[in-house]
Amino acid sequence: MQQIILFLVAFFIAQALMQTPSATLKKYGKILLISIFGMLFSYLLATGRLNWFFAFIIMTVTFLFRLLPAALHIMPHWQSIQKLWMQWKNTRFEQGNSDSTQEGFHERSNHTPSGNKMSREEAYDVLGLTPQASQSDIVTAHRKLMQKMHPDRGGSTYLAAKINLAKKTLLP
């Protein structure tokens, strides 16, 4: 009996939808999808499983980016889309190279912070020593500062370069 009632309800809903203009259907379809998405998002947020949603989104985007080159060969207008894809990819590559070139420039300039010239007073200041410090004091101070300021340990390349230049300036 329940199956017959569900069938009749579905039949009348389908008939009502067939008579509804497509613009109205699109509007209500969008509202329905947004509502379902909102309820799902709220449920995941309330249960503490929102990380599943973000993992799914990231996985889908990565999958689509990996699938796109293969899909371009199957599509009927794949050559024009492939050209656009390659242009986009090349611009990203060129931007990445220009960024890395600029970073390389900054790193090179950071290795020689003031043009390879540093006064002895400034070098003593950088290492935190007095002019009466011995060579072993300079080496020890350099080692301690580099352990703290090395870029691999979260320090800056500029400060590491300054410390190295100070040691180079003070030691013959």
Side-chain angles (χ1 to χ4, degrees):
M1 182 70 174
Q2 291 174 351
Q3 293 172 345
I4 295 173
I5 293 173
L6 285 175
F7 177 74
L8 288 174
V9 168
F11 176 75
F12 287 119
I13 289 175
Q15 284 226 335
L17 289 176
M18 296 291 277
Q19 294 172 357
T20 308
S22 64
T24 308
L25 285 177
K26 281 184 180 180
K27 177 182 172 186
Y28 288 126
K30 286 180 184 177
I31 291 172
L32 179 66
L33 284 175
I34 291 172
S35 300
I36 290 172
F37 179 75
M39 289 187 315
L40 179 66
F41 187 81
S42 299
Y43 172 76
L44 291 174
L45 182 65
T47 58
R49 296 186 177 125
L50 197 57
N51 56 343
W52 292 5
F53 173 74
F54 291 119
F56 175 75
I57 295 297
I58 291 170
M59 182 183 66
T60 304
V61 168
T62 352
F63 178 74
L64 289 176
F65 268 102
R66 291 193 182 260
L67 181 69
L68 189 62
L72 290 177
H73 291 288
I74 299 169
M75 297 173 69
H77 303 289
W78 71 274
Q79 288 179 339
S80 60
I81 296 173
Q82 188 175 24
K83 286 179 186 174
L84 290 173
W85 171 256
M86 293 306 288
Q87 286 174 353
W88 179 76
K89 201 171 182 180
N90 287 338
T91 56
R92 274 191 55 219
F93 180 72
E94 289 169 2
Q95 288 173 349
N97 276 348
S98 67
D99 291 346
S100 65
T101 305
Q102 289 173 353
E103 286 173 10
F105 172 74
H106 290 306
E107 284 184 19
R108 273 184 262 128
S109 65
N110 285 344
H111 289 297
T112 57
S114 59
N116 250 350
K117 297 186 182 198
M118 179 183 282
S119 68
R120 291 185 67 81
E121 293 79 24
E122 186 181 3
Y124 282 119
D125 257 355
V126 167
L127 294 176
L129 299 171
T130 62
Q132 292 81 21
S134 67
Q135 285 187 352
S136 62
D137 292 337
I138 294 170
V139 171
T140 305
H142 174 267
R143 185 177 296 126
K144 284 183 181 179
L145 284 172
M146 283 305 287
Q147 285 175 350
K148 291 179 186 176
M149 299 297 172
H150 197 277
D152 290 345
R153 295 188 178 201
S156 91
T157 55
Y158 178 78
L159 291 177
K162 273 277 229 210
I163 293 167
N164 284 332
L165 185 59
K167 178 185 171 191
K168 184 179 172 183
T169 302
L170 295 176
L171 293 180

